[in-house]
Amino acid sequence: MSEIREFLPDDLFAGKTVLVTGGGSGINLGVAKSFAAVGAGVAICGRTAERLESARVELEGLGARVSTAVADVREYDALAAAFDKCRDELGPIHTLVCGAAGNFLAPAEKLSANGFKTVVDIDLNGSFNAARAAFEQLRETRGNLIFISAGQAFVPHFAQAHCGAAKAGIDNLMQNLALEWGRFGIRSNSIAPGPIEGTEGMKRLGPRDGGAHAALKQAIPLGRYGTVAEIGQTAVFLASPLAAYVTGTRVVVDGGMSLPGSGVFTQLVMSAMAADSPGHP
Ligand code: HXC
Ligand code: NAP
């Protein structure tokens, strides 16, 4: 996280509290670390206590005050309790990052109704739960909402109907909250990351072998995967005074991957599935 300190003062978020749902790992932990590097107190929640404790060590290593809480974003009361704990330990939330999500590859004709519902419950309903539970604190701080979306929200991807529906819903929610809560001084934006290296999402959705990785990278205008730090930097920008007049916007941070569509991704996923079960699809 040293990069961000080259460009922004390390006390930019001093005295401010940032809460990240799903902040114990991956992109969301990267976002939490970027805020920690510029002085924020950081709260993270998720379902796994050990994961949160290990993230706490990393965040404290950056000098942050840290609050953790085990909470499933599908359970409103658990989230509300986590946000109260955060307030008691760090002060009212200035920036809420809704990052908790679940995903897997499943062609729609094989996806169960509960599989679809589960992803929508975690990603979309969980994001509303978090935003609603944080509202009073955000009103007090005239703070920010940042939702973690994905390219699936606006480009159809093979075997991603559940994720696409959930993330499109998130971006719509983001704009409605920008419209409604602007009058309280609350800004609302989303970030749509492209393929981010070393993450659980890429492990689940990304290519399996070197040749396929090369093919996917070749289809990205900037020719590479992104990093968690690049998503963190975007989140800090959006929550900072540099973006004081930015609300209701989806910021796509994908090296241009979505520009040519999802054809290469679709070909790679279909080939991998055909190799698993010859004759299909
Ligand atoms: C088809 C599946 C499935 C799979 C689960 N289900 N995994 N269906 N293919 N691989 C179905 C189950 O069969 C079940 O339906 C329903 O989903 C719920 O499953 P549970 O295991 O009970 O759910 P739960 O314990 O709540 O776990 C949620 C989860 C899990 C999403 C299924 O994978 C999880 O906790 N994921 C969190 C981490 C994660 O996914 N990280 C990556 C985020 S990446 P039935 O009908 O059998 O009851 C991302 C975008 C990446 O979001 C973008 C691009 C690179
Ligand atoms: P990840 O490490 O698996 O992050 C997901 C986090 O959410 C985990 O820490 C998980 O922790 C938590 N979580 C899952 N279900 C939860 C629930 N019901 N309640 C509370 N927390 C829950 O995956 P990632 O790849 O870094 O993805 C992070 C975010 O970026 C997601 O929103 C994803 O959609 C988005 N994204 C990722 C990519 C990519 O390239 N990886 C691309 C585009 C968008 P627990 O399991 O311990 O709860």
Side-chain angles (χ1 to χ4, degrees), residues 25 27 47 51 72 74 99-107 110-119 122-123 149-152 157 160 162-163 167 193-196 199-206 265:
S25 63
I27 290 174
R47 295 169 299 176
R51 179 173 278 174
D72 188 318
R74 291 169 287 192
N103 198 7
F104 44 78
L105 283 172
K110 293 189 174 169
L111 179 63
S112 71
N114 191 40
F116 185 90
K117 177 179 182 299
T118 297
V119 171
I122 299 172
D123 295 25
S149 182
Q152 284 87 334
H157 284 63
Q160 285 286 273
H162 42 306
C163 173
K167 295 294 193 181
I196 303 302
T199 59
E200 182 64 26
M202 278 301 279
K203 203 183 295 174
R204 291 177 181 225
L205 270 66
F265 175 88

Side-chain angles (χ1 to χ4, degrees), residues 24-59:
S25 63
I27 290 174
N28 303 324
L29 176 56
V31 168
K33 285 163 83 172
S34 291
F35 279 107
V38 290
V42 181
I44 51 176
C45 67
R47 295 169 299 176
T48 320
E50 305 74 47
R51 179 173 278 174
L52 295 172
E53 280 315 304
S54 130
R56 172 200 287 280
V57 172
E58 289 193 55
L59 292 164

